[in-house]
Amino acid sequence: MISYKRFARKGASLEDQGVLTWRTVFGESRGSRDSPPTPDEALKISAFYRAVDIRSDSIGKLPVKVKDLVSKRDMDDHYLGPVLWERPNEAMTPFVYKKLVEYQRIVLGKSYVWIYRDARSGWPVELIPLPPGSCSPYIEPGSGKLWYIAQDPKSGQLYKLDPSDILHYKGFTTNGVDSVSLLTYAARVLNVSAVMDAYEESVYVNGGHPAGVLETDSDLSRKPDIDLGDGRKISYKDTIRREWERVHSGAGNAFRVAVLDNSLKFKALSMSNTDAQFVQSKNVTVADIARFTGVPLNLLYSGKESYASNEMNSLDFVKYTLQPAVTQYEEEDSRKLLTVSERKRGLWLQRNMMAELRGDTASRKEWYRAMREAGVFSVNDILALEDMPPVPGGDERYASLGYVPLSVWAELSRAKAGTGGNNNG
């Protein structure tokens, strides 16, 4: 049965109801370099955007299956099929849904999905990712019971929901109930990167030229102020500065010929050590973003590692960045989308990590060969992982006689020599 309970008046925000016991960091005033940037600000940093995009894409492309852990078979006709691999909701494909949820989990630190259920059967019929700020965990005073206060995106009505009706995917958590945005811990790195991007932009806006000074032997302070005609006056020195910037600043004015009078001379300032190390500093910042997001430098189009090193980094990305996230998704989905009796029968929701290795043909081929030679995989097992149809006789497993238990080694050795059980020759 649906456990929805109306909580407050229609259209009221969660803040208006005073139920947000854990507040997000977004929307608060920013006054220091350690204050986290907003998601939009952070995503304007190319390395961070790439890291978030590749992580969310990697999760989005993993197929979700209902797996029978006892028989090891996929339940392709399961009733969850329409929401898992056909259409989670009317607005999203499975890829878009999974990508959005992972984006929210990374950048916002949490992702909430409302499970709309059929009123009669209780089966999930839609999975609705909730907008930021429209859902929050709530510990009921006295009983300590966990609830979720969520705002229905369709009606605007607030509901008090049982945890079984909310898929809650967490980022980094220190209390097990709520989680913290990645932006909170990476604030300094991202803010420094944003400042560096702004500096680089200002260089190109000013034509890519270093700053300089206009020199003259005349005493400009003795020149009379210029009347702007509206009661304001400007010094002669500022008039020259304004005119120089008007003519020579900006990319469109780069390399224009300067005509100097009044004995003026332009002297360009040499690039400082800080400016000379600017590119190197940007590389360090990209490396910091890679560490915070768990994405290898080669996937951020940075670094100078060899092909072999990049291959190992990509495998580490799958094992140490994607696999933990996949484990959380599988545990949360299985607990709240499957029934208790189904879980007792050995059903589980799995995401096929082989989709992440599909592009690495050489590694996949070697792994399949090792699994088949060890008798773990049959030909049809391999074909199933490649989304190809089975072949007749492909279910047989084979193993090499070159690696046998010592208990039967003597018998197999005599059989191979053709002596059978006769030791007398």
Side-chain angles (χ1 to χ4, degrees):
M1 295 297 293
I2 297 179
S3 59
Y4 305 165
K5 297 180 180 179
R6 287 195 175 187
F7 183 78
R9 64 184 184 276
K10 180 177 180 180
S13 68
L14 297 182
E15 289 83 354
D16 292 340
Q17 300 304 314
V19 297
L20 278 181
T21 54
W22 291 278
R23 293 184 178 272
T24 60
V25 297
F26 307 117
E28 297 178 359
S29 61
R30 300 178 59 205
S32 73
R33 61 183 179 178
D34 291 332
S35 298
T38 66
D40 285 343
E41 290 171 339
L43 289 173
K44 290 178 181 178
I45 301 169
S46 61
F48 186 74
Y49 176 91
R50 171 63 179 165
V52 172
D53 192 47
I54 195 169
R55 281 187 58 173
S56 55
D57 277 347
S58 297
I59 293 296
K61 69 185 181 184
L62 298 180
V64 182
K65 296 290 186 181
V66 180
K67 192 84 171 182
D68 187 332
L69 299 181
V70 178
S71 66
K72 305 300 182 183
R73 296 189 178 277
D74 296 335
M75 310 294 290
D76 295 329
D77 57 348
H78 196 272
Y79 63 83
L80 285 175
V83 295
L84 291 182
W85 53 80
E86 291 182 15
R87 203 80 180 179
N89 56 69
E90 61 182 357
M92 302 176 191
T93 63
F95 174 84
V96 171
Y97 163 81
K98 289 177 286 186
K99 180 180 174 69
L100 172 62
V101 169
E102 177 66 0
Y103 155 76
Q104 291 180 338
R105 194 185 71 85
I106 298 171
V107 178
L108 307 181
K110 63 205 74 179
S111 180
Y112 301 103
V113 176
W114 192 331
I115 306 171
Y116 282 16
R117 301 182 184 274
D118 180 77
R120 299 186 63 181
S121 66
W123 291 357
V125 293
E126 273 193 304
L127 302 177
I128 308 294
L130 295 176
S134 63
C135 184
S136 177
Y138 172 71
I139 301 296
E140 190 172 62
S143 67
K145 162 72 175 172
L146 173 65
W147 297 92
Y148 286 90
I149 309 303
Q151 190 169 35
D152 190 331
K154 295 182 179 180
S155 66
Q157 174 67 49
L158 286 179
Y159 288 91
K160 181 179 179 181
L161 304 179
D162 187 84
S164 62
D165 291 317
I166 290 288
L167 296 171
H168 183 186
Y169 307 112
K170 304 177 181 70
F172 185 84
T173 179
T174 58
N175 58 24
V177 179
D178 199 35
S179 48
V180 182
S181 167
L182 175 64
L183 303 184
T184 302
Y185 294 108
R188 182 173 298 186
V189 169
L190 295 175
N191 287 335
V192 168
S193 182
V195 171
M196 296 177 82
D197 285 346
Y199 173 83
E200 187 175 31
E201 180 183 14
S202 69
V203 171
Y204 286 103
V205 166
N206 286 288
H209 293 300
V213 294
L214 290 171
E215 294 181 341
T216 180
D217 295 332
S218 303
D219 186 356
L220 299 183
S221 63
R222 294 181 177 272
K223 298 286 185 179
D225 293 343
I226 305 298
D227 190 349
L228 298 178
D230 56 358
R232 295 183 298 126
K233 292 185 177 181
I234 185 172
S235 69
Y236 188 78
K237 185 184 297 185
D238 285 339
T239 301
I240 294 176
R241 180 187 295 111
R242 281 189 176 188
E243 183 63 14
W244 180 270
E245 291 176 346
R246 183 187 68 83
V247 174
H248 297 286
S249 293
N253 294 326
F255 309 111
R256 291 189 67 181
V257 176
V259 179
L260 304 178
D261 55 8
N262 294 324
S263 302
L264 289 173
K265 299 177 182 178
F266 178 77
K267 180 181 179 181
L269 298 179
S270 60
M271 183 171 286
S272 67
N273 290 335
T274 301
D275 294 330
Q277 295 175 356
F278 177 72
V279 174
Q280 181 179 355
S281 299
K282 289 200 70 174
N283 289 338
V284 172
T285 303
V286 172
D288 284 337
I289 292 175
R291 281 189 283 269
F292 270 112
T293 59
V295 177
L297 280 173
N298 65 292
L299 297 182
L300 299 181
Y301 303 122
S302 183
K304 299 179 180 179
E305 293 85 356
S306 64
Y307 176 82
S309 177
N310 289 341
E311 184 178 18
M312 290 305 300
N313 288 338
S314 297
L315 292 176
D316 286 344
F317 172 65
V318 174
K319 290 191 295 183
Y320 302 120
T321 300
L322 295 185
Q323 186 63 59
V326 167
T327 299
Q328 180 183 172
Y329 281 120
E330 291 180 348
E331 292 175 347
E332 184 74 357
D333 292 347
S334 300
R335 172 67 178 80
K336 296 180 179 179
L337 296 179
L338 294 172
T339 65
V340 175
S341 61
E342 286 177 324
R343 295 197 302 275
K344 287 183 176 179
R345 295 203 321 265
L347 298 192
W348 196 253
L349 294 182
Q350 285 191 344
R351 303 198 178 202
N352 186 2
M353 293 292 290
M354 290 303 299
E356 184 62 27
L357 301 174
R358 220 169 248 175
D360 190 353
T361 305
S363 298
R364 200 165 74 252
K365 180 178 67 175
E366 291 302 318
W367 187 65
Y368 285 155
R369 179 185 290 119
M371 290 297 100
R372 186 168 183 235
E373 290 178 353
V376 178
F377 283 176
S378 68
V379 171
N380 283 344
D381 290 333
I382 297 173
L383 290 172
L385 291 172
E386 291 292 308
D387 289 330
M388 298 174 66
V391 297
D395 291 325
E396 291 289 341
R397 284 179 169 82
Y398 298 89
S400 173
L401 284 177
Y403 188 69
V404 299
L406 291 176
S407 60
V408 297
W409 183 87
E411 179 182 350
L412 291 175
S413 178
R414 287 193 296 269
K416 185 175 181 180
T419 59
N422 185 5
N423 293 328
N424 295 323

